[in-house]
Amino acid sequence: MTPTTRPSTAGMMPLVPLGSYPTPLHHLPRLSEHLGLEVLAKREDLSGLGLGGNKVRKLRVVLAAARAESATVVLTQGGVQSNHCAATAVAAPMLGMRAELFLHGDPPAVPTGNVLVDGMAGATPHFTGAATHAEVDALVEARAGELRAAGEVPFVIPLGASDPLGVAATVTGVEEVDARLPAGGDTRIVVAAGSLGTLAGLTLGTWVLDRDWSVEGFSVLWAAERARLVLDGLLDAARRRHFPGVAPRPNVELTDEQLGGGYGVPTEQARRAAALALRLEGLLLDGTYTAKAFAGLLEGVRSGRYDGVERIVFWHTGGLGGIFG
Ligand SMILES: Cc1ncc(COP(=O)(O)O)c(C=O)c1O
């Protein structure tokens, strides 16, 4: 492949040097032969900070903002086995901040996977039982108020660091792929979508670089209608705030066809997809995120949805902690 030189957006946002970038872009030769279509993997799972995966790319920008505000403690939230919370738990103390995590559920009898990582990193967990997302938001705000009153400087990171800053931070991932691919050719990015910042950032990246690629997200958290509303809101806010001169394009698809029984509920298709990825390419996929997106990719090939697409870039977002959760 001939690398091409293109303008960089990476310098536009202050960031802290966390993780190892650019992450690798790997050809998947056995899978490509198996599917009859060129497939590559963007190895965000190898981002090099704990088991942080795609979250590190967001956090290096979001935590730079926290530091700019002289934050002493970061507050964030997610599922009990949240990859984002574990990544925050690991990153914050490296930058001289504490982390408090609002985990949606009850404390596990035995700490495993990301809960183990949270504890090893010294984060303070708050298990929120059956509280709704809105109720957890209120708990976080209340705790931030308490901390402020005690003289601390709290910085709140939303679910999945999916706010305009986290979305804009993800644009650099598209830039890295673009620098490695030959110009032209119909490229499709396939990714798991939770809080939707990653999907929004990848889409925004194709707009910023003016690439005629398509982006496809498989929702693993919300039904399609709600997910679409969140996605459109994030895209609009991040574009206006960080890239106001960039024109939107209708090149993103979002489906819930791999959601199955809901967030974290395994599906048979995802289990089979993960086994195929491991046996053909040595890729470890988790049942909550990446295996569901990969199952969607396989179904897309089978159904002819990618006819005319020259290559697929599977965005391997990580999720390794969750496998052992
Ligand atoms: C492994 C993994 N993949 C994908 C995602 C989805 O990213 P986002 O929340 O930005 O949609 C997450 C985070 O929730 C994740 O942990």
Side-chain angles (χ1 to χ4, degrees):
M1 282 191 180
T2 322
T4 50
T5 309
R6 303 219 168 96
S8 170
T9 54
M12 287 176 55
M13 277 168 280
L15 51 83
V16 285
L18 291 174
S20 181
Y21 292 94
T23 56
L25 179 69
H26 287 161
H27 279 275
L28 304 179
R30 286 158 294 265
L31 183 71
S32 299
E33 194 186 331
H34 180 76
L35 298 177
L37 177 69
E38 186 185 4
V39 185
L40 301 98
K42 177 62 170 165
R43 300 296 304 271
E44 294 284 275
D45 57 318
L46 303 180
S47 60
L49 182 99
L51 300 173
N54 64 322
K55 301 304 180 189
V56 181
R57 191 181 290 283
K58 293 176 175 179
L59 285 174
R60 62 186 186 150
V61 172
V62 171
L63 290 177
R67 276 241 296 226
E69 292 187 14
S70 305
T72 56
V73 51
V74 292
L75 312 183
T76 196
Q77 61 170 290
V80 170
Q81 284 294 339
S82 165
N83 299 300
H84 159 68
C85 286
T88 306
V90 171
M94 293 173 69
L95 301 168
M97 296 178 277
R98 293 193 306 106
E100 295 201 13
L101 310 175
F102 290 74
L103 301 172
H104 306 177
D106 298 317
V110 179
T112 57
N114 283 320
V115 178
L116 198 57
V117 175
D118 298 342
M120 286 171 72
T124 305
H126 303 273
F127 290 93
T128 62
T132 62
H133 281 207
E135 287 165 349
V136 177
D137 285 342
L139 288 173
V140 172
E141 276 315 315
R143 178 67 183 144
E146 271 174 31
L147 288 165
R148 242 176 253 120
E152 294 230 43
V153 182
F155 185 92
V156 175
I157 304 176
L159 185 74
S162 287
D163 60 5
L165 200 55
V167 170
T170 303
V171 166
T172 54
V174 182
E175 199 172 61
E176 289 173 10
V177 170
D178 187 57
R180 293 274 314 279
L181 292 180
D186 193 349
T187 297
R188 187 168 187 95
I189 297 176
V190 172
V191 68
S195 58
L196 293 151
T198 305
L199 179 62
L202 298 179
T203 305
L204 185 59
T206 63
W207 301 351
V208 169
L209 294 182
D210 197 19
R211 294 292 165 264
D212 193 16
W213 300 355
S214 56
V215 188
E216 182 177 33
F218 289 91
S219 179
V220 302
L221 178 58
W222 290 312
E225 205 174 321
R226 173 161 182 207
R228 185 76 216 196
L229 279 177
V230 175
L231 174 69
D232 289 344
L234 279 174
L235 267 171
D236 191 51
R239 186 183 66 82
R240 284 175 195 278
R241 191 166 313 168
H242 297 285
F243 301 97
V246 164
R249 283 212 315 268
N251 64 334
V252 56
E253 288 169 32
L254 175 57
T255 167
D256 60 9
E257 70 184 32
Q258 297 297 327
L259 179 58
Y263 180 75
V265 180
T267 64
E268 181 53 25
Q269 296 99 296
R271 195 195 59 72
R272 274 193 261 118
L276 184 76
L278 188 59
R279 289 171 200 171
L280 285 182
E281 297 289 354
L283 292 178
L284 269 175
L285 305 183
D286 75 297
T288 300
Y289 293 97
T290 50
K292 285 186 173 175
F294 194 69
L297 185 160
L298 296 178
E299 193 280 324
V301 173
R302 263 194 303 270
S303 68
R305 190 163 70 237
Y306 303 137
D307 287 353
V309 170
E310 194 166 317
R311 69 178 78 86
I312 294 183
V313 176
F314 176 67
W315 215 263
H316 190 335
T317 44
L320 296 189
I323 296 181
F324 305 102

